[in-house]
């Protein structure tokens, strides 16, 4: 029995939205993970709550045929700019990632985006599957091992040099649009910004996306937290996450652009 057969996931839950994304417009979400949140990170800001299955083990979580029937059931009236694979955890853990990207493109005929935490980019099969995406946004929140442990809390086999090597290898092979997405939880020092710029110069992304936590973190898993839905916690279990100011965000963005000439986009900050 695979993971999806053992859950009580309601049908039609693998495709959601479209939701409005500050990065991609109206984004139709595909969730290749399903009911149990599954990731190789347990980020302190994760909107899914504490990750339930904390792993680097790839498997098929949701049969491709279930995603296909959900896509085929969609209303043709929906305005969709892109199709985004993220959902309930790390999408590259799904062994059927390539199949899902292929059917999404075939059914919806829109650009496909994968949001990944970068931890599996050292795997040749993952890099090969990602070739089918039009845009890949790779997470890079940390410029030191200490920061990686504090912010992303990876499984024990993951380390920063391994992540950076994977991104670099993927960049060398991938002809599509590569974005680096970085969550800023607190102001960075000048030295940290300089280190980050050096990494960008090594990794050559097409774009940098500076993100900030959009809302308090739910501590208990809620399926509706996929995409950018705001959710209400039934038991009030939220953790407020500190957010930097719009001015600090702009200062960091300007410093990066001035040094690299790589376009930098910033998440909107509610005043
Ligand atoms: S990588 Fe994404 S899904 Fe995984 S813990 Fe971090 S925010 Fe959550």
């Amino acid at each position: 029995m695979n993971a999806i057969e053992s859950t009580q996931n309601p049908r039609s839950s693998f495709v959601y939205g479209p939701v409005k994304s500050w990065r991609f417009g109206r984004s139709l979400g595909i969730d290749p993970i399903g009911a149990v949140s599954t990731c190789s990170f347990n980020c302190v800001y994760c909107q899914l709550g504490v990750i339930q299955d904390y792993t680097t083990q790839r498997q098929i979580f949701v049969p491709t045929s279930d995603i296909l029937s959900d896509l085929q059931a969609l209303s043709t009236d929906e305005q969709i700019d892109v199709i985004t694979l993220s959902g309930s955890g790390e999408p590259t853990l799904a062994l059927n990632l390539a199949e899902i990207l292929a059917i999404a493109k075939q059914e919806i005929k829109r650009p496909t985006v994968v949001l990944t935490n970068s931890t599996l980019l050292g795997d040749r099969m993952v890099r090969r599957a990602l070739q089918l995406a039009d845009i890949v946004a790779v997470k890079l929140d940390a410029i030191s091992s200490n920061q990686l442990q504090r912010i992303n809390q990876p499984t024990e086999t993951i380390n920063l040099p391994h992540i950076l090597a994977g991104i670099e290898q993927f960049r060398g092979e991938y002809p599509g649009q590569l974005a680096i997405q970085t969550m800023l939880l607190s102001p960075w020092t000048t030295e940290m910004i300089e280190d980050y710029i050096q990494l960008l110069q090594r990794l050559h992304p097409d774009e940098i996306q500076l993100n900030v936590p959009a809302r308090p973190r739910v501590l208990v898993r809620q399926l509706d937290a996929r995409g950018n839905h705001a959710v209400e916690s039934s038991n009030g279990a939220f953790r407020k996450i500190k957010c930097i100011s719009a001015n600090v965000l702009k200062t960091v963005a300007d410093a990066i652009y001035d040094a690299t000439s790589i376009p930098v986009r910033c998440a909107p900050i509610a005043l």
Side-chain angles (χ1 to χ4, degrees):
M1 184 184 286
N2 68 28
I4 197 62
E5 289 167 332
S6 67
T7 69
Q8 304 192 346
N9 219 354
R11 289 294 295 117
S12 295
S13 65
F14 308 121
V15 174
Y16 57 95
V19 295
K20 202 154 178 271
S21 155
W22 65 270
R23 297 179 281 188
F24 305 114
R26 286 184 63 80
S27 162
L28 182 74
I30 294 184
D31 181 0
I33 302 295
V36 178
S37 64
T38 305
C39 193
S40 45
F41 276 173
N42 186 18
C43 301
V44 292
Y45 56 79
C46 182
Q47 289 301 314
L48 301 170
V50 174
I51 291 297
Q52 294 166 306
D53 189 3
Y54 187 44
T55 183
T56 54
Q57 189 65 47
R58 300 189 75 208
Q59 61 171 295
I60 293 184
F61 301 91
V62 181
T64 311
S65 56
D66 284 1
I67 292 176
L68 178 60
S69 50
D70 285 357
L71 288 171
Q72 289 172 334
L74 276 180
S75 155
T76 50
D77 298 338
E78 294 283 11
Q79 188 210 317
I80 297 165
D81 298 319
V82 296
I83 309 157
T84 304
L85 270 74
S86 61
S88 299
E90 171 50 35
T92 63
L93 285 170
L95 263 177
N96 51 346
L97 175 67
E99 272 180 17
I100 296 170
L101 282 165
I103 59 152
K105 192 69 174 234
Q106 169 199 304
E107 291 299 316
I108 309 295
K109 300 183 174 50
R110 292 287 187 284
T112 47
V113 181
V114 179
L115 308 181
T116 173
N117 69 11
S118 316
T119 56
L120 274 76
L121 291 176
D123 181 330
R124 185 173 55 84
M125 295 310 289
V126 169
R127 295 197 305 278
R128 184 183 289 181
L130 287 173
Q131 299 286 329
L132 295 177
D134 296 292
I135 303 170
V136 177
V138 302
K139 186 185 292 300
L140 181 63
D141 292 340
I143 45 158
S144 68
S145 298
N146 183 280
Q147 209 181 7
L148 181 78
Q149 294 301 325
R150 267 190 301 109
I151 296 176
N152 302 120
Q153 306 186 108
T155 54
E156 62 183 16
T157 53
I158 292 170
N159 58 55
L160 190 59
H162 170 89
I163 290 172
L164 295 174
I167 298 175
E168 197 168 17
Q169 200 162 5
F170 181 60
R171 171 72 293 183
E173 300 167 0
Y174 179 61
Q177 175 85 7
L178 178 72
I180 285 190
Q181 40 162 343
T182 297
M183 180 69 83
L184 290 177
L185 296 182
S186 55
W188 283 11
T189 63
T190 307
E191 196 184 16
M192 289 164 79
I193 296 171
E194 282 169 6
D195 289 349
Y196 181 69
I197 286 169
Q198 274 186 20
L199 287 179
L200 296 174
Q201 286 164 336
R202 171 179 158 196
L203 301 173
H204 301 296
D206 298 297
E207 181 178 281
I208 296 142
Q209 300 169 349
L210 297 182
N211 213 344
V212 291
R215 51 189 185 271
R217 183 192 187 192
V218 293
L219 298 183
V220 177
R221 163 80 167 133
Q222 296 188 32
L223 193 62
D224 283 350
R226 299 179 302 189
N228 60 1
H229 290 295
V231 292
E232 302 271 331
S233 173
S234 53
N235 61 6
F238 280 106
R239 184 196 296 153
K240 196 160 170 33
I241 299 182
K242 237 172 70 182
C243 185
I244 62 171
S245 71
N247 280 346
V248 170
L249 187 63
K250 185 171 180 330
T251 304
V252 176
D254 288 348
I256 294 167
Y257 181 73
D258 289 347
T260 64
S261 300
I262 301 170
V264 182
R265 290 207 286 158
C266 297
I269 295 184
L271 297 173

